Short mmCIF file of all heavy atoms in Angstrom, two decimals:
data_model
loop_
_atom_site.label_atom_id
_atom_site.label_comp_id
_atom_site.label_asym_id
_atom_site.label_seq_id
_atom_site.Cartn_x
_atom_site.Cartn_y
_atom_site.Cartn_z
N ILE A 5 -14.32 -3.50 -0.73
CA ILE A 5 -13.33 -4.23 -1.51
C ILE A 5 -12.32 -4.84 -0.54
O ILE A 5 -11.80 -4.15 0.34
CB ILE A 5 -12.59 -3.29 -2.49
CG1 ILE A 5 -13.56 -2.70 -3.53
CG2 ILE A 5 -11.44 -4.04 -3.16
CD1 ILE A 5 -14.03 -3.69 -4.57
N ILE A 7 -8.61 -6.41 0.09
CA ILE A 7 -7.27 -6.45 -0.47
C ILE A 7 -6.55 -7.66 0.10
O ILE A 7 -6.34 -7.77 1.31
CB ILE A 7 -6.50 -5.16 -0.15
CG1 ILE A 7 -7.17 -3.95 -0.81
CG2 ILE A 7 -5.04 -5.28 -0.61
CD1 ILE A 7 -6.53 -2.62 -0.48
N LEU A 32 -8.97 -7.63 -4.44
CA LEU A 32 -7.81 -7.18 -5.22
C LEU A 32 -6.55 -7.84 -4.68
O LEU A 32 -6.40 -8.00 -3.46
CB LEU A 32 -7.67 -5.66 -5.14
CG LEU A 32 -8.85 -4.81 -5.63
CD1 LEU A 32 -8.54 -3.33 -5.44
CD2 LEU A 32 -9.17 -5.11 -7.09
N LYS A 52 -5.36 -6.42 -9.80
CA LYS A 52 -4.34 -5.92 -8.90
C LYS A 52 -4.86 -4.75 -8.07
O LYS A 52 -5.87 -4.14 -8.39
CB LYS A 52 -3.10 -5.50 -9.70
CG LYS A 52 -2.42 -6.67 -10.39
CD LYS A 52 -1.13 -6.21 -11.07
CE LYS A 52 -0.40 -7.40 -11.69
NZ LYS A 52 0.89 -7.01 -12.31
N ILE A 53 -4.11 -4.43 -7.00
CA ILE A 53 -4.55 -3.38 -6.07
C ILE A 53 -4.66 -2.03 -6.77
O ILE A 53 -5.51 -1.21 -6.42
CB ILE A 53 -3.61 -3.30 -4.86
CG1 ILE A 53 -3.50 -4.66 -4.17
CG2 ILE A 53 -4.11 -2.26 -3.85
CD1 ILE A 53 -2.45 -4.72 -3.07
N GLU A 54 -3.83 -1.79 -7.77
CA GLU A 54 -3.87 -0.51 -8.48
C GLU A 54 -5.23 -0.26 -9.14
O GLU A 54 -5.57 0.88 -9.46
CB GLU A 54 -2.77 -0.46 -9.53
CG GLU A 54 -2.89 -1.52 -10.61
CD GLU A 54 -1.70 -1.57 -11.54
OE1 GLU A 54 -0.62 -1.07 -11.17
OE2 GLU A 54 -1.85 -2.13 -12.65
N LEU A 55 -6.02 -1.32 -9.32
CA LEU A 55 -7.36 -1.15 -9.88
C LEU A 55 -8.23 -0.27 -9.01
O LEU A 55 -9.18 0.36 -9.48
CB LEU A 55 -8.01 -2.53 -10.06
CG LEU A 55 -9.42 -2.58 -10.68
CD1 LEU A 55 -9.40 -2.04 -12.11
CD2 LEU A 55 -9.96 -4.00 -10.66
N SER A 56 -7.88 -0.18 -7.73
CA SER A 56 -8.65 0.65 -6.80
C SER A 56 -8.71 2.10 -7.24
O SER A 56 -9.66 2.82 -6.93
CB SER A 56 -8.05 0.57 -5.39
OG SER A 56 -6.72 1.08 -5.38
N GLU A 57 -7.70 2.54 -7.99
CA GLU A 57 -7.64 3.93 -8.43
C GLU A 57 -8.72 4.27 -9.45
O GLU A 57 -9.05 5.45 -9.63
CB GLU A 57 -6.25 4.23 -9.00
CG GLU A 57 -5.14 4.07 -7.96
CD GLU A 57 -3.75 4.16 -8.56
OE1 GLU A 57 -3.64 4.26 -9.80
OE2 GLU A 57 -2.77 4.15 -7.79
N SER A 58 -9.29 3.27 -10.08
CA SER A 58 -10.34 3.51 -11.07
C SER A 58 -11.73 3.10 -10.59
O SER A 58 -12.71 3.26 -11.31
CB SER A 58 -10.01 2.74 -12.37
OG SER A 58 -9.97 1.34 -12.14
N LEU A 59 -11.82 2.58 -9.35
CA LEU A 59 -13.11 2.17 -8.81
C LEU A 59 -13.82 3.36 -8.16
O LEU A 59 -13.19 4.39 -7.88
CB LEU A 59 -12.90 1.06 -7.78
CG LEU A 59 -12.37 -0.28 -8.33
CD1 LEU A 59 -12.10 -1.24 -7.18
CD2 LEU A 59 -13.35 -0.88 -9.33
N PRO A 60 -15.12 3.27 -7.94
CA PRO A 60 -15.86 4.39 -7.33
C PRO A 60 -15.24 4.85 -6.02
O PRO A 60 -14.79 4.03 -5.21
CB PRO A 60 -17.26 3.79 -7.12
CG PRO A 60 -17.39 2.76 -8.18
CD PRO A 60 -16.02 2.15 -8.32
N LYS A 61 -15.21 6.14 -5.81
CA LYS A 61 -14.55 6.73 -4.65
C LYS A 61 -15.26 6.43 -3.34
O LYS A 61 -14.66 6.56 -2.26
CB LYS A 61 -14.41 8.24 -4.83
CG LYS A 61 -13.60 8.65 -6.05
CD LYS A 61 -12.18 8.09 -6.01
CE LYS A 61 -11.36 8.53 -7.23
NZ LYS A 61 -10.03 7.88 -7.26
N TYR A 63 -16.32 3.50 -2.38
CA TYR A 63 -16.07 2.14 -1.91
C TYR A 63 -15.20 2.18 -0.64
O TYR A 63 -14.34 3.04 -0.48
CB TYR A 63 -15.35 1.33 -2.97
CG TYR A 63 -16.23 0.79 -4.07
CD1 TYR A 63 -17.59 1.10 -4.15
CD2 TYR A 63 -15.70 -0.04 -5.06
CE1 TYR A 63 -18.39 0.60 -5.17
CE2 TYR A 63 -16.48 -0.55 -6.09
CZ TYR A 63 -17.83 -0.22 -6.14
OH TYR A 63 -18.62 -0.72 -7.15
N TYR A 65 -12.54 -0.16 1.91
CA TYR A 65 -11.51 -1.18 1.71
C TYR A 65 -11.06 -1.74 3.06
O TYR A 65 -11.10 -1.05 4.08
CB TYR A 65 -10.29 -0.58 0.99
CG TYR A 65 -10.57 -0.18 -0.43
CD1 TYR A 65 -11.21 1.03 -0.72
CD2 TYR A 65 -10.21 -1.01 -1.49
CE1 TYR A 65 -11.49 1.40 -2.03
CE2 TYR A 65 -10.48 -0.64 -2.81
CZ TYR A 65 -11.11 0.55 -3.06
OH TYR A 65 -11.40 0.91 -4.36
N TYR A 82 -1.42 3.12 -0.59
CA TYR A 82 -2.79 3.47 -0.97
C TYR A 82 -3.48 4.18 0.21
O TYR A 82 -4.56 3.80 0.65
CB TYR A 82 -3.56 2.22 -1.38
CG TYR A 82 -2.98 1.54 -2.60
CD1 TYR A 82 -2.09 0.48 -2.47
CD2 TYR A 82 -3.29 1.97 -3.88
CE1 TYR A 82 -1.53 -0.13 -3.58
CE2 TYR A 82 -2.74 1.36 -5.00
CZ TYR A 82 -1.86 0.32 -4.84
OH TYR A 82 -1.31 -0.28 -5.95
N ASN A 84 -4.92 6.92 0.31
CA ASN A 84 -6.10 7.71 -0.04
C ASN A 84 -7.40 6.90 0.00
O ASN A 84 -8.49 7.46 -0.13
CB ASN A 84 -5.94 8.29 -1.45
CG ASN A 84 -5.77 7.21 -2.51
OD1 ASN A 84 -5.03 6.24 -2.29
ND2 ASN A 84 -6.44 7.36 -3.64
N LEU A 85 -7.29 5.59 0.19
CA LEU A 85 -8.49 4.75 0.19
C LEU A 85 -9.28 4.92 1.49
O LEU A 85 -8.73 5.25 2.54
CB LEU A 85 -8.11 3.28 0.01
CG LEU A 85 -7.42 2.91 -1.30
CD1 LEU A 85 -7.10 1.43 -1.34
CD2 LEU A 85 -8.28 3.31 -2.51
#
Side-chain angles (χ1 to χ4, degrees):
I5 297 287
I7 296 177
L32 301 178
K52 295 185 177 183
I53 305 172
E54 62 188 19
L55 182 63
S56 62
E57 297 172 355
S58 62
L59 294 175
K61 300 301 181 185
Y63 280 4
Y65 293 80
Y82 298 95
N84 60 316
L85 298 180

